[in-house]
Amino acid sequence: MISLNNRVKINKSKIRVGRGIGSGKGKTSGRGVKGQKSRSGVAIKSFEGGQMPLYRRLPKRGFNPISKDEVAIINLEKIQSFIDKKNISPNEVLNSDLLKKLKIISKNSKKLKILGTGEIKDKINIEANLASKSAIEKLEKIGGSIQLKK
């Protein structure tokens, strides 16, 4: 059984600083001697003595997600212009690999999106990740097809 004298103290009393030498927290009240930090009203949290502070050394990240998917977009009119220039033949399957090889879209792009601006005259098969409704309509109207990859 624990005697009354060596019980664990539950309510520890607050240390009262600046109450004389015998308290162990007298005179300078545990603040050391002199200097800016011994004074009241000091706010030097991120100041590093003139050295470039950490929060300015690190790059800004903000609202730019680090792992965003680069989506390459291409309009139907652009595809038609490449067909007219004979860069793309209408009977081969148009996909992101082919467009990357021809340097039409960036090699860093992960997905391909077809948009419906402009007209397309040639029947063409397209393989893309995303497509707008108008692009799908226009392609189906001229008898072409678009396959959306999941």
Side-chain angles (χ1 to χ4, degrees):
M1 178 161 161
I2 300 170
S3 69
L4 293 175
N5 292 339
N6 47 5
R7 283 186 309 185
V8 178
K9 210 167 191 195
I10 297 165
N11 300 331
K12 286 205 171 136
S13 50
K14 188 176 141 210
I15 294 173
R16 297 175 68 217
V17 293
R19 291 295 185 280
I21 200 168
S23 70
K25 283 274 184 275
K27 195 184 170 212
T28 53
S29 307
R31 282 177 172 265
V33 279
K34 296 184 178 176
Q36 190 178 7
K37 287 172 127 179
S38 69
R39 313 277 192 250
S40 70
V42 173
I44 49 170
K45 288 279 182 295
S46 60
F47 183 69
E48 297 183 19
Q51 172 177 297
M52 188 60 65
L54 182 69
Y55 66 89
R56 286 182 62 197
R57 286 197 298 261
L58 298 175
K60 288 201 275 188
R61 275 199 41 210
F63 287 91
N64 297 330
I66 279 179
S67 61
K68 69 177 173 200
D69 282 340
E70 292 290 329
V71 178
I73 56 173
I74 189 162
N75 276 302
L76 290 178
E77 63 184 0
K78 194 96 178 237
I79 294 170
Q80 185 60 51
S81 75
F82 285 121
I83 291 170
D84 294 342
K85 286 185 208 162
K86 304 265 191 289
N87 289 7
I88 301 169
S89 77
N91 49 18
E92 65 181 322
V93 176
L94 186 76
N95 55 20
S96 55
D97 297 334
L98 177 73
L99 293 173
K100 282 178 190 175
K101 201 167 74 184
L102 296 170
K103 295 192 173 153
I104 293 167
I105 62 172
S106 164
K107 66 174 189 260
N108 299 329
S109 54
K110 304 269 187 294
K111 292 181 178 180
L112 174 65
K113 183 169 187 174
I114 309 294
L115 299 180
T117 307
E119 288 303 315
I120 188 156
K121 299 175 201 84
D122 297 85
K123 222 195 296 193
I124 189 163
N125 295 330
I126 299 177
E127 217 176 83
N129 301 84
L130 308 155
S132 67
K133 285 178 188 165
S134 59
I136 294 169
E137 272 174 34
K138 287 178 184 178
L139 279 165
E140 285 171 352
K141 202 164 92 178
I142 58 141
S145 71
I146 184 160
Q147 282 183 308
L148 297 179
K149 289 188 272 187
K150 281 282 174 265

